[in-house]
C-alpha cells in the first residue's frame, strides 16, 4: 500500500509541475520550463524510492548489461546483409510487377479490351 501512495505522490508532483507551467503563464519561459523540470525530477525521485521504481532501475541495469554482451556484426557482414536485402527487394518488386502486368493483360483480353 505504501508503494501505491509513493507512486500517487510522484504522479501528483509531475501534475503540479505541469500545473505550475500554466499557472506561471505571465512569467518568463525559463521559469515555466523549470516548473515542469522540477516536477518531473521530484516525481521521478519519489517513484524510484518505491518497490516498482527499484524494480524498474534493476531492469534498466540488466538491460544495459545485456546490451554490452551483444556481438555486433562487422562492417563487412552488415554491408553484405544490406546488399542481399536490397537485391531481394528489387527482385520481388520486379516479380510482382510482372505478375500484375500479366494479370492486367489477361483481364483485358477476357473483357475484350485487348489491342
Amino acid at each position: 500500500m505504501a508503494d501505491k501512495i509513493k507512486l500517487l505522490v510522484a504522479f501528483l508532483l509531475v501534475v503540479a509541475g505541469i500545473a505550475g507551467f500554466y499557472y506561471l503563464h505571465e512569467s518568463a519561459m525559463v521559469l515555466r520550463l523549470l516548473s515542469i523540470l522540477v516536477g518531473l525530477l521530484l516525481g521521478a525521485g519519489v517513484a524510484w524510492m518505491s518497490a516498482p521504481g527499484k524494480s524498474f532501475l534493476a531492469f534498466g541495469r540488466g538491460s544495459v548489461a545485456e546490451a554490452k554482451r551483444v556481438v555486433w556484426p562487422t562492417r563487412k557482414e552488415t554491408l553484405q546483409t544490406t546488399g542481399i536485402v536490397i537485391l531481394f527487394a528489387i527482385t520481388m518488386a520486379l516479380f510482382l510487377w510482372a505478375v500484375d502486368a500479366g494479370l492486367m493483360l489477361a483481364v483485358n483480353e477476357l473483357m475484350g479490351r485487348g489491342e
Side-chain angles (χ1 to χ4, degrees):
M1 188 66 170
D3 286 331
K4 289 183 181 182
I5 293 172
K6 286 180 183 177
L7 292 177
L8 178 63
V9 169
F11 176 74
L12 291 175
L13 285 169
V14 171
V15 169
I18 294 170
F21 177 83
Y22 291 107
Y23 180 75
L24 298 171
H25 67 278
E26 294 179 4
S27 299
M29 183 58 77
V30 174
L31 292 175
R32 296 174 73 194
L33 292 176
L34 191 61
S35 170
I36 290 179
L37 185 61
V38 167
L40 287 173
L41 290 175
L42 289 175
V46 171
W48 283 341
M49 297 301 146
S50 67
K54 290 177 183 176
S55 173
F56 180 73
L57 281 178
F59 174 76
R61 287 187 188 112
S63 297
V64 169
E66 188 68 29
K68 288 180 180 178
R69 284 183 255 161
V70 171
V71 178
W72 298 101
T74 64
R75 179 176 172 84
K76 182 180 177 184
E77 292 169 337
T78 303
L79 291 175
Q80 287 175 342
T81 304
T82 303
I84 290 170
V85 168
I86 290 172
L87 182 65
F88 181 75
I90 291 170
T91 303
M92 285 304 298
L94 291 173
F95 171 74
L96 291 173
W97 172 78
V99 169
D100 182 54
L103 288 173
M104 185 174 62
L105 287 173
V107 167
N108 284 338
E109 283 295 323
L110 288 173
M111 297 183 80
R113 290 190 265 171
E115 293 182 67

